[in-house]
C-alpha cells in the first residue's frame, strides 16, 4: 500500500490519466485501420505481377483476421495479468510492444513480415484497450464518473477507427504512394504508440489495479452469470455491425450502383452518429442506472433497420437506415461496457479483457458471414435477414437484464 489518503488521486491527476488512456486507445485504434485502405495494393505488390484478384482478396482477409484473432486470444490473458501485476506495467508492455512492432516491420518488405506484424500488433494491442477500461474503473468514485470516463475512452477508440484509414491514405500519398511509402503509416502509428506509452508512464499510478491508494470505488458486486450474458450480447452487437458494414459495401456497389464517394459518405455518417450517440448516453442528462432500459429497444431498432436495408433502393432512405444501425450500436457498446465494469467485482481487468475478446471474435465472424452470405441463392438477402433475426432474439435477454442489473448493481450515487 502507498499509504496515501483517500483524496490522493485528485481531479487534475485523474484528468491527466484519462487523457493518456484516451491517447493510448486512439493510437491502437489508428494502428488497426491505418493500412486498411491500402492493404490490397500492398499485398498485390508483395505477391508479384502474377497474383490474381482472388489471391489478393484472400491474403488481405487473412491478414485482417489474424489481427482480430490475436485480440481474441490475448485480451483475456492481458486483462488477468493486469489484475495481478497492476494496470501500468501491462499498458506499458502493450504500447511499447505495439509501437516497436510497427516501427520494426515498417522497414521490412515481405509478405511474411506483414503477417508477423499483424499478429504481433494484435497481440500487443490486446493489452491496451481492456486494461485502459479497467484503469478507468479503478479510479472512478461514482457510477456517473465511471459511465462518462468509459465513454471517453470508447470515443477515443471510435475516433481512431474513423481516422485511421484516412490517415493511412494521406501519409502514403504524401510520400509518393510506392510500396515503400505504404510503410510510412506503420512507422507514424508506431511513434504515436510510443508517445502514448510515455504519457501512461507519467500519469498512471503503480497501485491502480489493486485499488490500494484509498480511492473510493463504486460499490460493485461480482455477478459472473450477468457478465456472461453481457459478453454474449456484446458479441452479437459486434457481429451485427460487421455483417452490416460488409453487406452495406457490397450492396451499395453491386445492387444500388453507388460510387465510392457515396459509400464512404455512408460509413462516415455511421461513425459520426456512433460518436454523437455514445457521448449522449452517459452525459449528465442521463443517469447511469437508466441506461439498462435502453438495451432491449436498441436491439429492436437495430434488427428492424437491418431487415429493412435490402428493401431500400434509394440513397437517402439508405442513409436513414444506416443512421439507425449506427445509433443502436452506439447506444449498446458503451452501455454493455459500463455494466460489465459495474458487475466485474475485483477482476475488472479479466472481465473487460473477455469483453474485448468477445467483440473481436464477433467482428471477425461477422465480417466472414457478411461476405459468405451475401450471394447465397437459398435465401435472398440472407446476410441482412439472418443477422436481423439473431439480433431480434437478443431483445428478450435485454429485457431480462433490465431487472437483473439493478437488482445486483451498486446503489445509486
Amino acid at each position: 500500500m502507498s499509504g496515501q489518503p483517500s483524496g490522493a488521486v485528485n481531479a487534475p491527476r485523474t484528468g491527466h490519466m484519462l487523457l493518456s488512456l484516451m491517447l493510448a486507445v486512439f493510437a491502437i485504434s489508428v494502428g488497426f485501420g491505418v493500412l486498411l485502405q491500402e492493404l490490397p495494393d500492398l499485398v498485390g505488390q508483395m505477391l508479384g505481377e502474377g497474383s490474381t484478384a482472388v489471391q489478393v482478396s484472400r491474403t488481405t482477409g487473412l491478414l485482417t483476421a489474424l489481427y482480430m484473432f490475436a485480440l481474441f486470444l490475448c485480451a483475456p490473458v492481458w486483462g488477468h495479468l493486469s489484475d495481478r501485476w497492476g494496470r501500468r506495467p501491462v499498458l506499458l508492455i502493450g504500447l511499447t510492444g505495439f509501437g516497436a512492432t510497427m516501427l520494426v516491420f515498417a522497414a521490412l518488405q515481405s509478405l511474411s513480415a506483414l503477417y508477423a506484424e499483424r499478429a504481433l500488433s494484435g497481440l500487443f494491442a490486446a493489452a491496451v484497450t481492456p486494461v485502459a477500461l479497467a484503469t478507468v474503473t479503478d479510479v472512478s468514485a461514482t457510477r456517473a464518473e465511471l459511465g462518462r470516463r468509459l465513454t471517453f475512452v470508447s470515443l477515443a477508440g471510435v475516433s481512431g477507427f474513423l481516422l485511421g484509414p484516412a490517415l493511412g491514405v494521406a501519409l502514403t500519398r504524401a510520400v509518393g504512394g510506392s510500396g515503400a511509402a505504404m510503410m510510412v503509416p506503420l512507422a507514424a502509428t508506431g511513434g504515436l504508440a510510443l508517445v502514448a506509452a510515455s504519457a501512461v508512464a507519467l500519469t498512471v499510478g503503480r497501485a491502480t489495479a489493486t485499488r490500494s491508494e484509498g480511492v473510493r470505488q463504486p460499490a460493485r458486486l461480482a455477478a459472473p452469470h450477468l457478465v456472461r450474458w453481457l459478453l454474449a450480447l456484446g458479441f452479437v452487437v459486434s457481429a451485427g455491425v460487421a455483417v452490416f458494414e460488409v453487406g452495406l459495401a457490397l450492396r451499395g456497389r453491386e445492387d444500388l450502383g453507388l460510387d465510392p464517394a457515396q459509400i464512404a459518405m455512408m460509413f462516415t455518417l455511421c461513425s459520426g452518429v456512433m460518436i454523437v450517440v455514445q457521448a449522449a448516453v452517459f452525459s449528465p442528462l442521463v443517469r447511469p442506472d437508466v441506461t439498462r432500459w435502453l438495451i432491449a429497444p436498441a436491439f429492436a431498432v437495430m434488427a428492424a433497420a437491418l431487415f429493412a436495408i435490402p428493401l431500400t433502393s434509394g440513397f437517402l432512405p439508405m442513409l436513414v437506415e444506416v443512421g439507425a444501425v449506427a445509433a443502436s450500436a452506439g447506444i449498446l457498446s458503451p452501455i454493455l461496457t459500463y455494466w460489465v465494469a459495474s458487475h466485474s467485482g475485483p477482476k475488472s481487468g479479466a472481465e473487460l479483457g473477455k469483453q474485448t475478446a468477445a467483440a473481436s471474435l464477433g467482428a471477425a465472424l461477422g465480417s466472414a458471414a457478411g461476405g459468405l452470405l451475401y450471394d447465397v441463392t437459398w435465401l435472398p438477402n440472407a446476410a441482412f435477414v439472418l443477422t436481423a433475426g439473431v439480433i431480434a432474439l437478443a431483445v428478450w435477454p435485454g429485457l431480462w437484464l433490465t431487472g437483473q442489473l439493478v437488482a445486483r448493481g451498486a446503489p445509486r450515487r
Side-chain angles (χ1 to χ4, degrees):
M1 294 181 66
S2 64
Q4 293 179 349
S6 178
V9 183
N10 54 34
R13 175 180 168 184
T14 304
H16 296 155
M17 181 189 300
L18 182 60
L19 289 174
S20 69
L21 294 173
M22 291 173 65
L23 178 62
V25 172
F26 177 81
I28 295 301
S29 299
V30 167
F32 171 73
V34 75
L35 275 183
L36 210 54
Q37 298 289 88
E38 303 290 343
L39 194 56
D41 290 338
L42 180 59
V43 168
Q45 291 180 18
M46 290 184 174
L47 287 174
E49 293 183 359
S51 61
T52 65
V54 172
Q55 289 175 315
V56 171
S57 62
R58 182 178 300 167
T59 302
T60 301
L62 287 174
L63 285 167
T64 304
L66 186 60
Y67 184 96
M68 302 304 296
F69 189 63
L71 281 175
F72 166 69
L73 288 179
C74 299
V77 177
W78 287 120
H80 174 71
L81 291 175
S82 77
D83 289 331
R84 298 187 60 184
W85 298 350
R87 313 298 185 209
R88 186 170 181 254
V90 174
L91 284 168
L92 291 177
I93 291 171
L95 287 165
T96 55
F98 184 84
T101 296
M102 301 198 89
L103 288 172
V104 168
F105 286 101
L108 302 179
Q109 297 291 305
S110 72
L111 190 58
S112 59
L114 194 56
Y115 272 109
E117 184 277 322
R118 290 285 87 180
L120 290 174
S121 291
L123 182 151
F124 288 115
V128 178
T129 299
V131 179
L133 294 171
T135 305
V136 168
T137 304
D138 292 338
V139 300
S140 298
T142 68
R143 301 185 76 184
E145 284 182 355
L146 175 62
R148 286 195 296 272
R149 290 170 180 172
L150 289 174
T151 300
F152 285 142
V153 175
S154 177
L155 287 174
V158 173
S159 299
F161 283 121
L162 175 62
L163 296 176
L167 180 62
V169 171
L171 289 174
T172 301
R173 304 287 167 80
V175 291
S178 64
M182 289 183 185
M183 292 305 180
V184 172
L186 285 179
T189 309
L192 180 62
L194 295 179
V195 171
S198 299
V200 166
L202 293 173
T203 60
V204 177
R206 295 180 181 177
T208 302
T210 61
R211 306 174 188 180
S212 61
E213 294 187 351
V215 181
R216 184 168 58 91
Q217 299 294 325
R220 287 193 299 273
L221 278 172
H225 70 292
L226 293 183
V227 170
R228 284 192 290 270
W229 275 105
L230 292 165
L231 295 179
L233 292 181
F235 169 86
V236 171
V237 172
S238 294
V241 170
V243 171
F244 159 71
E245 289 176 342
V246 172
L248 183 65
L250 292 173
R251 176 169 168 74
R253 186 182 68 225
E254 303 293 338
D255 297 341
L256 302 181
L258 302 180
D259 59 41
Q262 290 175 308
I263 295 174
M265 183 186 299
M266 287 194 291
F267 282 111
T268 300
L269 172 68
C270 183
S271 299
V273 170
M274 290 184 69
I275 289 174
V276 171
V277 171
Q278 286 193 18
V281 166
F282 285 103
S283 70
L285 301 176
V286 181
R287 291 203 320 269
D289 283 339
V290 173
T291 60
R292 72 189 191 278
W293 291 97
L294 301 177
I295 296 175
F299 273 115
V301 171
M302 190 174 185
L306 284 171
F307 185 81
I309 283 177
L311 305 177
T312 302
S313 58
F315 178 61
L316 291 179
M318 182 71 75
L319 286 181
V320 174
E321 289 160 8
V322 167
V325 174
S328 302
I331 287 172
L332 288 166
S333 295
I335 290 176
L336 295 175
T337 299
Y338 167 77
W339 287 107
V340 168
S342 295
H343 288 78
S344 60
K347 302 296 183 182
S348 59
E351 299 300 345
L352 289 165
K354 292 176 185 177
Q355 187 198 36
T356 299
S360 301
L361 182 62
L365 295 180
S367 296
L372 293 173
L373 293 173
Y374 185 75
D375 281 329
V376 298
T377 57
W378 51 271
L379 179 63
N381 303 304
F384 293 109
V385 172
L386 293 177
T387 304
V390 171
I391 291 175
L393 293 176
V395 173
W396 178 83
L399 290 170
W400 175 75
L401 282 170
T402 299
Q404 294 295 313
L405 292 173
V406 71
R408 296 293 301 271
R412 296 177 183 173
R413 297 190 182 185

